[in-house]
Amino acid sequence: MKLNLKRPLAFFDLETTGVNVGADRIVEIAILKAMPDGSELIKTMRINPEMPIPLHSSLIHGIYDEHIANEPTFKTVAAELAEFIGDADLAGYNSNRFDIPVLLEEFLRAGVDLDMTDRKFVDVQNIFHQMEQRTLRAAYRFYCDKDIVNAHSAEADIKATYEVLLAQIERYKDAEFEDKQGQISKPVQNDVDALHVFTNMNKPVDFAGRMVFNENDEEIFNFGKHKGKTVEQVFDIEPSYYAWMKQGDFPLYTKKKLDEIWARWSKKKEANKVKQAQAKPQQQYTKPQQTQEKKDRPAKEVTNDMLEQLKMKFGK
């Protein structure tokens, strides 16, 4: 089966030092770029994370400090990776919540602003969890009737993810799905636009999920004391919340999206000030005029008593 693609779809998988999006680093990346003509390109790299790999992470993916000691840092390969990805849409397993945010963090640290505008994102795990709710190993066995060889190697995992998506499209092409609103559709189609919609049902603003879009396509906070409020509404009532988030331990991409909303909100606020100033009638200052009586009053003659009183007052 061949994917119906309008442009390349880059499947990618990361092995990392941990699961903290803002703090942990990539130690291995594998990208399988499915092309519209059916061909495939693969790029796999080990990365020096510039920090020790915790033992519990090494025990999962099998990559230890000595394996990456002489590998390039992400900063030195960032431009090469961005060029390889190009304008491709992105796909992966749990990629919306983890791999994409981590990758964007690394790009931003390296000074590379990977443009996410108009890209589609296909999270194979979301299809799986919503249709079957299992793990990648179980998904591979369930859909492909195979076991992953070399599991937790980035390249093995991403190849398995690619095969699982193809099997999912074949299996669910006529399957009905009922959402929380009771609407029934056949969402798993051989079309990246349709898969993007189905696997991004929460409509995240920043991938880390700190902000999401509501039903009116307004950005709202998805955590903390302001959860459920629009970001602009919070800026109106507590503008210091912006500074708190900028100084806090939030992912760089979350802060980037926050900056965009702040700039838009500030522009609206300034425009409202100008509009109010223009609507307010201008009051001209007029110098109070002296009464004719004061003008015509003759000046008093200075007397010796007046001079004596001044000497006593000022000590002279």
Side-chain angles (χ1 to χ4, degrees):
M1 181 181 182
K2 176 177 171 291
L3 274 177
N4 181 20
L5 300 175
K6 298 172 184 174
R7 59 181 177 183
L9 182 60
F11 292 80
F12 76 102
D13 185 70
L14 307 176
E15 303 301 339
T16 62
T17 58
V19 295
N20 186 317
V21 170
D24 281 305
R25 303 298 182 88
I26 297 171
V27 297
E28 186 177 57
I29 180 170
I31 306 171
L32 185 155
K33 195 171 180 181
M35 308 300 288
D37 63 3
S39 62
E40 300 166 12
L41 304 172
I42 292 182
K43 181 182 285 292
T44 303
M45 285 184 176
R46 289 269 175 97
I47 306 291
N48 186 329
E50 301 182 88
M51 64 180 288
I53 304 173
L55 180 60
H56 64 268
S57 297
S58 293
L59 290 173
I60 293 172
H61 51 56
I63 303 172
Y64 293 80
D65 290 334
E66 60 266 26
H67 296 149
I68 47 81
N70 298 317
E71 298 294 344
T73 63
F74 191 90
K75 188 172 184 178
T76 61
V77 299
E80 179 184 348
L81 288 172
E83 183 179 359
F84 183 78
I85 293 171
D87 66 346
D89 296 319
L90 300 178
Y93 196 85
N94 194 30
S95 50
N96 286 357
R97 294 182 61 186
F98 183 73
D99 297 84
I100 290 177
V102 171
L103 185 64
L104 289 173
E105 288 296 292
E106 291 281 27
F107 273 126
L108 288 172
R109 286 191 198 101
V112 176
D113 189 1
L114 189 69
D115 187 6
M116 304 299 282
T117 309
D118 296 328
R119 287 187 199 268
K120 305 299 181 185
F121 313 105
V122 179
D123 192 327
V124 174
Q125 186 191 62
N126 285 349
I127 297 175
F128 186 37
H129 281 186
Q130 292 182 92
M131 302 302 286
E132 302 294 344
Q133 300 186 6
R134 303 244 173 86
T135 63
L136 175 59
R137 183 186 291 273
Y140 196 53
R141 189 180 297 119
F142 181 83
Y143 290 107
C144 306
D145 197 23
K146 300 177 186 177
D147 285 318
I148 301 176
V149 178
N150 230 358
H152 293 300
S153 132
E155 188 169 320
D157 285 355
I158 207 61
K159 286 181 177 179
T161 302
Y162 184 34
E163 288 187 52
V164 167
L165 178 60
L166 295 175
Q168 285 175 329
I169 292 170
E170 185 66 31
R171 184 183 185 91
Y172 298 123
K173 60 184 178 182
D174 295 317
E176 292 185 344
F177 174 77
E178 183 175 352
D179 64 19
K180 293 178 181 178
Q181 286 73 41
Q183 297 178 332
I184 296 175
S185 62
K186 295 179 180 180
V188 185
Q189 301 294 327
N190 192 351
D191 179 82
V192 171
D193 288 356
L195 296 174
H196 166 78
V197 171
F198 189 51
T199 61
N200 290 272
M201 296 179 75
N202 290 331
K203 300 175 71 177
V205 173
D206 61 332
F207 292 107
R210 298 297 189 183
M211 297 177 286
V212 297
F213 289 103
N214 63 14
E215 62 276 7
N216 298 319
D217 283 330
E218 299 169 316
E219 301 96 340
I220 64 173
F221 284 115
N222 195 34
F223 76 102
K225 65 179 182 179
H226 292 305
K227 184 174 181 179
K229 297 177 185 175
T230 69
V231 179
E232 291 195 17
Q233 179 186 3
V234 173
F235 288 165
D236 285 336
I237 61 176
E238 190 181 343
S240 61
Y241 203 69
Y242 166 76
W244 174 78
M245 286 192 68
K246 287 288 289 180
Q247 295 168 7
D249 186 21
F250 292 96
L252 294 177
Y253 193 71
T254 298
K255 293 179 180 180
K256 178 176 183 291
K257 300 306 290 184
L258 192 72
D259 283 340
E260 292 175 6
I261 301 170
W262 177 267
R264 186 184 68 210
W265 173 81
S266 299
K267 189 175 180 180
K268 285 182 185 176
K269 191 175 180 182
E270 191 60 34
N272 286 335
K273 284 183 179 178
V274 173
K275 189 175 179 180
Q276 290 172 3
Q278 291 174 342
K280 189 176 180 180
Q282 298 293 322
Q283 295 181 348
Q284 293 184 347
Y285 174 77
T286 55
K287 184 177 179 180
Q289 295 182 354
Q290 295 179 325
T291 61
Q292 189 64 34
E293 180 185 353
K294 191 171 183 180
K295 284 183 178 180
D296 297 340
R297 186 184 300 165
K300 290 184 179 180
E301 182 180 353
V302 177
T303 65
N304 289 332
D305 287 342
M306 292 170 65
L307 292 173
E308 290 298 326
Q309 288 177 5
L310 287 172
K311 284 182 182 180
M312 290 177 64
K313 184 174 182 179
F314 295 104
K316 294 184 179 179

